[in-house]
Structures are given as C-alpha cells and as structure tokens.
Amino acid sequence: NRLANEPNDLEGWRLLALSHLSQRNLDLAQHAFEQVHRLDPTDIGATLSLIDVLVTQNNGHITPVSDVLVQEVLQQDPNNTLALWFAYLSAKQYRDINKIKELESKIELSLPSNDIISQQIQQQLNRYK
C-alpha cells in the first residue's frame, strides 16, 4: 500500500522485489525489479536479478527484453561474469557461433580463480561446449 502512495520509493521497491523473490513469487518479483530498474537503471544487481527472473519464467530462454537488459549491464560493466553468462546463453540460443566463442573467452578471463561460483560456471561452459 505504501508503494502505491510512494511509487518512487527505490528502497521500498528493492525490498519488495527481494521479498517476492525469496518467496518464489516470480511475477511479483519481476514487477518490483522492473520498478527498481525504472528508478535506478544503474543498479546492476537488481538488473541482473530481473534478467534471472525473466529467464527463469521463460524456461531458461533469453527473451528480447532480457537481451536488452544484458547489454545495459555490459555497457556499465563489460566484465560482469553473470551478464557475460546471460549473453553467452543468448548466443547459444540463437546459434551465433562467433559470439559464442568470443563470450567463452571473455567469461573464462573474467572468472576469479579458486572461487566455487567460478568453478560452477566453468563446469557449465564445459558442458555447453
């Protein structure tokens, strides 16, 4: 109710988005993350969460909206591993061989060493190759 009266409350939308996400209410989380993105398009974490929700809702497929959001993140942070991963999934989905190879290299270079998430991403890359 408070957000209906204060639609520009960035922190309120952020908290609501995270709350819905933790409860797996993906449609509501999507709406709240969209509001966060509208209010602060430079919030990379919220944008990546929005992309993740959109991809999850679409059975692992990258949507055109997701593609645009991924490019926004990569413009802000060209070496963001998660954004690179989403771009890689998009390239795989659209069978863009040149982009796949380019992104595989970028992802591998962006991974910190000896990090469990990095190891998981590397395993996923190996599985997709």
Side-chain angles (χ1 to χ4, degrees):
N1 288 337
R2 186 171 61 81
L3 289 172
N5 294 326
E6 298 177 40
N8 294 326
D9 179 1
L10 177 61
E11 288 308 311
W13 283 112
R14 189 175 284 127
L15 289 172
L16 185 62
L18 293 172
S19 175
H20 286 312
L21 187 60
S22 72
Q23 295 173 11
R24 302 297 296 160
N25 295 324
L26 297 183
D27 290 337
L28 296 173
Q30 176 188 341
H31 175 72
F33 279 123
E34 286 170 343
Q35 297 310 309
V36 173
H37 184 71
R38 176 183 62 83
L39 294 168
D40 183 5
T42 65
D43 184 335
I44 290 176
T47 304
L48 289 169
S49 293
L50 175 56
I51 296 165
D52 191 39
V53 167
L54 292 170
V55 170
T56 301
Q57 289 175 310
N58 287 285
N59 299 316
H61 295 290
I62 304 294
T63 65
V65 170
S66 299
D67 267 335
V68 169
L69 294 170
V70 168
Q71 293 312 309
E72 286 180 18
V73 172
L74 289 173
Q75 285 177 352
Q76 294 175 63
D77 182 2
N79 297 314
N80 184 289
T81 304
L82 188 52
L84 289 169
W85 176 252
F86 284 126
Y88 174 79
L89 292 179
S90 179
K92 290 290 278 189
Q93 181 177 312
Y94 294 108
R95 295 181 172 91
D96 185 341
I97 302 301
N98 293 330
K99 195 72 168 169
I100 290 168
K101 295 295 180 191
E102 173 191 334
L103 288 164
E104 283 175 354
S105 297
K106 280 186 172 182
I107 291 169
E108 289 173 344
L109 290 172
S110 74
L111 294 174
S113 59
N114 299 327
D115 176 89
I116 193 154
I117 294 173
S118 298
Q119 292 171 7
Q120 292 172 341
I121 291 173
Q122 188 63 57
Q123 288 172 352
Q124 290 293 324
L125 275 176
N126 292 339
R127 193 177 88 198
Y128 277 103
K129 287 184 179 180

